[in-house]
Amino acid sequence: AVWSIDETQRSATISMTVNYTGMAVQSDLVAHAKLRRHGKRVASLTVEIRDSADALVADALVTYKIA
């Protein structure tokens, strides 16, 4: 998602918080990221990770420095 910002040439992770909400056993996982906010130097995104039954396995808040 951070690469969808036109100004992004490179990025570095400032922080990442992951909350595990369930188990995934022998299941494919899919992550969907959503850009919540960005300025000239910092971008914030949320990520949801779901299993093949669409159950929420984890969510995350990620902050990137963009350049």
Side-chain angles (χ1 to χ4, degrees):
V2 76
W3 291 102
S4 67
I5 304 168
D6 290 336
E7 298 85 13
T8 303
Q9 302 269 329
R10 59 183 186 251
S11 68
T13 305
I14 294 173
S15 69
M16 181 184 299
T17 303
V18 179
N19 301 303
Y20 298 96
T21 58
M23 291 178 48
V25 179
Q26 296 183 351
S27 176
D28 291 334
L29 300 177
V30 177
H32 291 278
K34 181 177 181 182
L35 183 63
R36 295 184 44 108
R37 182 174 197 157
H38 78 86
K40 291 184 179 185
R41 296 186 179 164
V42 176
S44 174
L45 353 139
T46 55
V47 183
E48 286 190 348
I49 298 90
R50 295 186 174 270
D51 66 10
S52 57
D54 203 35
L56 185 65
V57 174
D59 60 29
L61 176 60
V62 186
T63 305
Y64 288 101
K65 182 178 189 317
I66 54 176

